Amino acid sequence: MRQPAGRSVRRSGGERKPREERWAELIDVATQVFYEKGYDGASLQDIADRLGMLKGSLYYYIQSKEDLLFDVISTVHRDGLAVVRACADRPGDALERLEGVILGHVEHTCRNLVPTAVFLHELSSLPEERSREVLGSEHAYQGVFRDLIEQAQRDGLVRPDVEPRLAALSVLGSTNWVYRWFRPGGTFPPEAIGAQFADMAIRGIATEEALAARAGRRAALTAAAGS
């Protein structure tokens, strides 16, 4: 856990929650308040009121509102990155793993609409150097997609005319936008949205041979499921 500089981690008062639990609650509440009011419209007093604590007590955890936004956005980025990296590490060739990453990213987005909205809307509210600190020097999140496309291209699964970085940006641009229109309980569940987006993305970059092999695998799975 990132500790505010120059502040003690000691707690007093037997009725207080453990620091880890209270910190998680602070991040959740701040995320909701930033979502509802926007970073500029939200105040530390709003967050303290929602938590049922004095505004001054927030400084036990943070140094400023910007500090808190940084921690909120870092948490959102870290959690999403963990999801796509886990999907990228599953068995299969690079194209199969890319498909899984797209599915995982879309489903995670649909199930975390508020944090996603805060991340995408408020990242620019941070100073540029702090935004870069969140994203990483190589844009780690984007890099998961780009690296898989590059690997698939080397393996002859993605067409040679595809530019991996642009392809990764295209996939992320379309899938990130899901948060704007997805509604829980609506016509399309997260799994169906993820499957369609993944299918469209793969069809847009894969070689004819890779698509034929993919269709063969799907037909075999369907036949096995029906036997």
Side-chain angles (χ1 to χ4, degrees):
M1 181 191 304
R2 177 176 171 272
Q3 302 290 355
R7 296 196 176 272
S8 169
V9 299
R10 292 185 63 190
R11 302 292 299 193
S12 61
E15 297 303 315
R16 291 186 178 183
K17 295 182 180 179
R19 181 176 173 81
E20 292 77 11
E21 182 182 347
R22 195 59 160 164
W23 174 256
E25 185 179 11
L26 170 57
I27 292 296
D28 288 344
V29 168
T31 302
Q32 187 66 41
V33 172
F34 288 147
Y35 173 75
E36 294 171 3
K37 299 193 172 189
Y39 175 67
D40 290 336
S43 69
L44 290 180
Q45 187 64 61
D46 294 325
I47 294 165
D49 289 345
R50 193 76 62 91
L51 284 163
M53 63 192 298
L54 296 173
K55 177 182 173 182
S57 298
L58 288 176
Y59 293 105
Y60 183 84
Y61 300 91
I62 60 169
Q63 293 180 333
S64 66
K65 188 172 78 165
E66 180 189 299
D67 230 25
L68 184 54
L69 178 65
F70 176 87
D71 285 316
V72 165
I73 286 179
S74 295
T75 298
V76 177
H77 184 264
R78 181 199 66 215
D79 291 349
L81 185 59
V83 168
V84 296
R85 280 178 169 167
C87 293
D89 288 340
R90 290 173 183 167
D93 63 41
L95 204 60
E96 291 174 304
R97 288 184 286 132
L98 176 63
E99 189 164 2
V101 165
I102 297 169
L103 279 163
H105 175 59
V106 171
E107 291 180 21
H108 180 75
T109 296
C110 290
R111 295 189 170 96
N112 294 273
L113 295 176
V114 168
T116 298
V118 171
F119 179 86
L120 294 174
H121 288 178
E122 304 298 351
L123 180 63
S124 61
S125 297
L126 290 173
E128 186 176 350
E129 64 274 12
R130 301 203 84 182
S131 296
R132 288 199 301 267
E133 187 179 346
V134 172
L135 298 175
S137 59
E138 297 298 325
H139 286 257
Y141 208 105
Q142 180 193 129
V144 174
F145 293 80
R146 185 189 63 245
D147 291 349
L148 286 171
I149 294 169
E150 289 176 345
Q151 181 62 57
Q153 196 170 55
R154 288 193 294 270
D155 294 342
L157 304 173
V158 165
R159 299 193 316 273
D161 62 302
V162 171
E163 210 297 318
R165 183 168 180 271
L166 291 179
L169 288 169
S170 174
V171 171
L172 272 174
S174 61
T175 53
N176 281 346
W177 198 252
V178 169
Y179 87 98
R180 294 296 300 267
W181 52 263
F182 174 74
R183 295 294 179 271
T187 304
F188 304 108
E191 297 83 357
I193 297 170
Q196 176 118 11
F197 272 62
D199 186 63
M200 291 188 294
I202 297 301
R203 288 178 181 276
I205 64 173
T207 62
E208 291 297 326
E209 295 79 7
L211 289 175
R214 179 172 175 263
R217 287 194 299 270
R218 290 190 164 194
L221 288 172
T222 299
S227 61

